[in-house]
Amino acid sequence: MSPVTAAVPPTAHPTAPRPARPGYPARARRGAAAALLAAALTAVTLPVPGAAAPAHAQSCRTQVSGEELPDSAGPYPLIDLLGLRHAWDLSTGDGVTVAVVDSGVDARHPDLAGAVTGGSRFEVTRDAEEFTRTTPAADEDCEGHGTGIAGLVAARRAEGDRMTGVAPAARVHPIRSVDGVDRATHNTVAAMIDDAVGAGVEVLNLSLAVVEDHAPIREAVARAVAADIVVVAAAGNEGNSGPSGGRVYPAAYPDVLAVGAVDAAGRPLDASNRGPWVDLAAYGGPLPLVAPGGSGYRTDSGTSFAAAQVSGAAALVRARYPDLTAAETAERLVASAAPVGGTRNDRTGAGIVDPFGALTHLTHAGADGPQEAEAGIAVQPLPARPPLLTRTETLAVASGGALLLTLLLGLIAAPAVRRAASRRWR
């Protein structure tokens, strides 16, 4: 995928300070930030509303395709890296829908059979409306980015587990930007987020980033949070080397799970943006991904794909604990993460997402011992140690001991009694 760049809009909306949700890592509130589209792209921004948009072609200008996995390919690497087999014993994401705002999803791929809902399609226009909304065709994804994200979230388990999503029974609601989210106006991105809210999804994956805090996007994210949706966003792949060297959005908004990336050894990727606003990390090194075109796989890397893993983990938690709020679900994911380097840091936040840990996490310890999180696995108190003997058995042993002591004393005293008797007790 070739990098796409665009000019930074000349104005930006200041970040409105809002309290962070309890249980989230503290976020420093500094001015507008810089980063890029988190999708293995280099540096992209959204165009100014009203700017000329490229005419939409009926077919893709460039169609990304994939190749078959080699015969020697073993189980999908994330199965072991994330401990998914243990997690799947508790939840597979059944009944949960994850919205993917991206380049589209090719639902023809066998690994996505039955996993994709109808979704929506947004195309930027040159008129005052800025965009049109229609229903996408089942195979619409030119770039392949959205299909890869969908596969990481909810691909069905393939033979030999050579491919799988984190939540293989969840569903994906694709929201496609015809010319890519990097070319959509801020109002169009906001409308796509609102489309996810209207669809009633439980999790929203935003593997995109912009370098400014724009009010339409901020307000749309706030509406998603108010609708009890777990919002997950990529931290971006610029390594904080952009013009302002700071935050990217929507990842840096309060109540959004911002996800950085590590390699297979758990080392933070150099390209992954950092800051106190990063909440979690997942694996963003080169990964096999479901490709568009109806079959095949391709390899890509970046924080986009790390965010998809967190979205899948959120689907697992929401399926197992449907009574948990989005905030409580996010808190479980953050609190159960495996720290990198033993402590929280600006590269990986609380640590690498742990789906099994999130499904079994204990929230705190009270005066009476550990307390389980709502609907979690109960921790039973240690059983009282029973006495070795019952009261009757104790009395019997005591009586036997007394008789034995009497007999022993009699045996010891017998020689003395005989001597005394032979001396006529003198």
Side-chain angles (χ1 to χ4, degrees):
M1 187 185 305
S2 301
V4 180
T5 59
V8 177
T11 59
H13 300 275
T15 304
R18 292 196 313 236
R21 179 175 65 222
Y24 263 57
R27 300 177 186 269
R29 303 233 189 297
R30 296 189 291 269
L36 81 144
L37 176 68
L41 298 178
T42 314
V44 299
T45 62
L46 304 182
V48 178
H56 172 56
Q58 293 302 312
S59 59
C60 297
R61 290 185 291 270
T62 301
Q63 175 66 68
V64 172
S65 60
E67 300 178 354
E68 291 305 312
L69 294 172
D71 293 338
S72 59
Y76 196 59
L78 288 182
I79 292 176
D80 289 333
L81 289 172
L82 294 177
L84 292 178
R85 287 196 176 92
H86 297 295
W88 291 334
D89 287 339
L90 301 175
S91 174
T92 56
D94 188 27
V96 174
T97 300
V98 180
V100 174
V101 174
D102 217 291
S103 61
V105 175
D106 189 336
R108 298 173 299 166
H109 198 291
D111 293 344
L112 293 173
V116 184
T117 66
S120 301
R121 173 180 179 272
F122 286 77
E123 182 174 4
V124 175
T125 61
R126 294 184 175 90
D127 56 28
E129 297 296 327
E130 294 190 24
F131 61 85
T132 60
R133 177 188 179 278
T134 56
T135 300
D139 61 347
E140 284 191 337
D141 184 10
C142 299
E143 300 173 15
H145 191 269
T147 300
I149 296 296
L152 284 171
V153 172
R156 281 26 183 163
R157 296 173 69 177
E159 182 180 358
D161 277 338
R162 300 204 308 168
M163 176 55 63
T164 183
V166 174
R171 302 191 73 189
V172 170
H173 180 80
I175 302 174
R176 181 183 184 233
S177 177
V178 169
D179 294 294
V181 289
D182 55 297
R183 294 178 182 271
T185 65
H186 309 132
N187 288 328
T188 305
V189 173
M192 291 191 286
I193 294 172
D194 286 335
D195 187 86
V197 176
V201 304
E202 290 83 10
V203 182
L204 170 59
N205 187 91
L206 298 171
S207 286
L208 57 95
V210 293
V211 300
E212 302 284 352
D213 168 24
H214 295 283
I217 298 176
R218 180 189 344 117
E219 292 164 1
V221 167
R223 288 190 289 272
V225 170
D228 198 39
I229 297 173
V230 178
V231 182
V232 181
N237 305 315
E238 197 182 35
N240 294 96
S241 59
S244 61
R247 306 180 179 202
V248 297
Y249 301 91
Y253 290 134
D255 302 322
V256 173
L257 281 174
V259 184
V262 298
D263 62 18
R267 296 183 295 261
L269 297 185
D270 290 339
S272 181
N273 288 331
R274 64 187 70 92
W277 47 272
V278 175
D279 296 308
L280 286 170
Y283 295 95
L287 287 168
L289 303 171
V290 174
S295 65
Y297 305 88
R298 65 185 188 89
T299 300
D300 208 341
S301 60
T303 59
S304 286
F305 309 109
Q309 296 161 45
V310 173
S311 292
L316 295 179
V317 175
R318 302 218 80 172
R320 180 166 174 81
Y321 306 125
D323 293 335
L324 290 183
T325 66
E328 291 165 338
T329 300
E331 287 162 8
R332 268 182 173 264
L333 292 167
V334 171
S336 62
V340 175
T343 185
R344 176 181 173 79
N345 61 75
D346 287 351
R347 302 293 300 276
T348 58
I352 300 171
V353 67
D354 180 356
F356 179 74
L359 292 168
T360 59
H361 177 64
L362 300 175
T363 56
H364 66 280
D368 298 327
Q371 305 294 312
E372 60 169 332
E374 182 179 344
I377 296 177
V379 176
Q380 301 297 328
L382 291 175
R385 299 183 65 177
L388 295 176
L389 299 173
T390 65
R391 184 172 182 276
T392 301
E393 291 170 338
T394 302
L395 291 175
V397 170
S399 299
L403 291 174
L404 181 60
L405 180 60
T406 301
L407 178 60
L408 182 60
L409 291 175
L411 292 174
I412 294 174
V417 171
R418 287 197 297 271
R419 285 195 299 273
S422 66
R423 295 176 183 176
R424 297 183 181 183
W425 305 98
R426 293 196 297 270

